[in-house]
Amino acid sequence: MSAPFLEKISSNKSFEGELTKYKFKSAALGGLSANFNLFVPTNASNSNKVPVLVYLAGLTCTEDNGAQKGSFLGPASSQGIAILFPDTSPRGAGIEGEDADWDFGTGAGFYLNATNPKFSAHYNMYTHVALELPQVIEAAGIPIDWKRQSIFGHSMGGHGALTMYLSSPHKQYRSASAFSPVANSTKCPWGEKAFTGYLQGGVEEAKEKYDATELISKSKEPVHILVDFGTADNFYKQGQLLPENFLKAARDAGHDEFQVRVRSQEGYDHSYYFISTFASDHVHFHANFLKA
Ligand SMILES: N[C@@H](CCC(=O)N[C@@H](CSC=O)C(=O)NCC(=O)O)C(=O)O
């Protein structure tokens, strides 16, 4: 089967590199049109394929939030690292109820593959991010070295980054980091709602593959994980994030502070002002593994 055609929507020079928005017809998302942004640093060429960081955004976001407000492009440019910004859900599937709430359906794909037949033709963000996007970008001849990938994200996207890293069967990603992640998704209202809707087996099915705390508690291999959350984050205060559960499970499973760092940042909230403050830290954290 031939790779889908990538249509360029826009392109902007930034920090000497190029941020390009593409769209294509996504098989993983049931044939719907999907957008993504890709930042490629200036040092990338066919004889110098560059490593890549995948950034997963949170609820209500698109491929633009991280690219426009994350402050990732400068550090990525100076480190010679590409950044891929996928969307957060399929768009326009036409499923009854998918636009009713901001925390479910459109803009809230939760980086899983749906097993509920109502959603399973379209809501396959796990396959879209882990398999489909690397394949279509590679087929388009863009000089990225897919053997050197790491993943990070915010909130629902932090959940996506941690769970995709920890559940990746072939160690697809070298490291993972997250800003204010939904870190114990089967124990918080956002996750309970998402899994009840998207998965035939509901929350119980999610424990196997889509809960970072469950996954780290069973993980025996060495890991490279950095998490930051803000103490003034209202979603943290409401019990949507539960980073302490993730940290405890990591320590109980034998992962020390060199493998899993969870940092509480005094006075910061859930916004991109918080993310951009620590953006450089996260890119440099990943550069250690992507350039090793
Ligand atoms: N109901 C609000 C809240 C949406 C919101 O805060 N979204 C966060 C992610 S929350 C967890 O995944 C976000 O990143 N928003 C985008 C931004 O640019 O800040 C609403 O509908 O706006």
Side-chain angles (χ1 to χ4, degrees), residues 93-150:
I95 300 168
E96 174 270 320
E98 78 178 332
D99 294 323
D101 295 332
W102 65 272
D103 56 359
F104 184 79
T106 305
F110 267 84
Y111 304 103
L112 50 70
N113 285 341
T115 53
N116 176 350
K118 184 173 169 186
F119 292 97
S120 58
H122 298 100
Y123 279 72
N124 296 307
M125 290 302 289
Y126 188 104
T127 296
H128 177 65
V129 171
L131 298 176
E132 184 176 55
L133 288 173
Q135 277 168 11
V136 299
I137 295 167
E138 169 89 350
I142 297 166
I144 287 174
D145 176 3
W146 293 99
K147 292 195 184 70
R148 290 185 290 154
Q149 280 188 75
S150 288

Side-chain angles (χ1 to χ4, degrees), residues 58-61 65 69 102 154-157 190 235 270-272:
L59 293 164
T60 72
C61 292
N65 297 68
K69 299 201 293 187
W102 65 272
H154 171 230
S155 196
M156 173 186 73
W190 283 340
F235 294 132
H270 200 72
S271 71
Y272 272 82

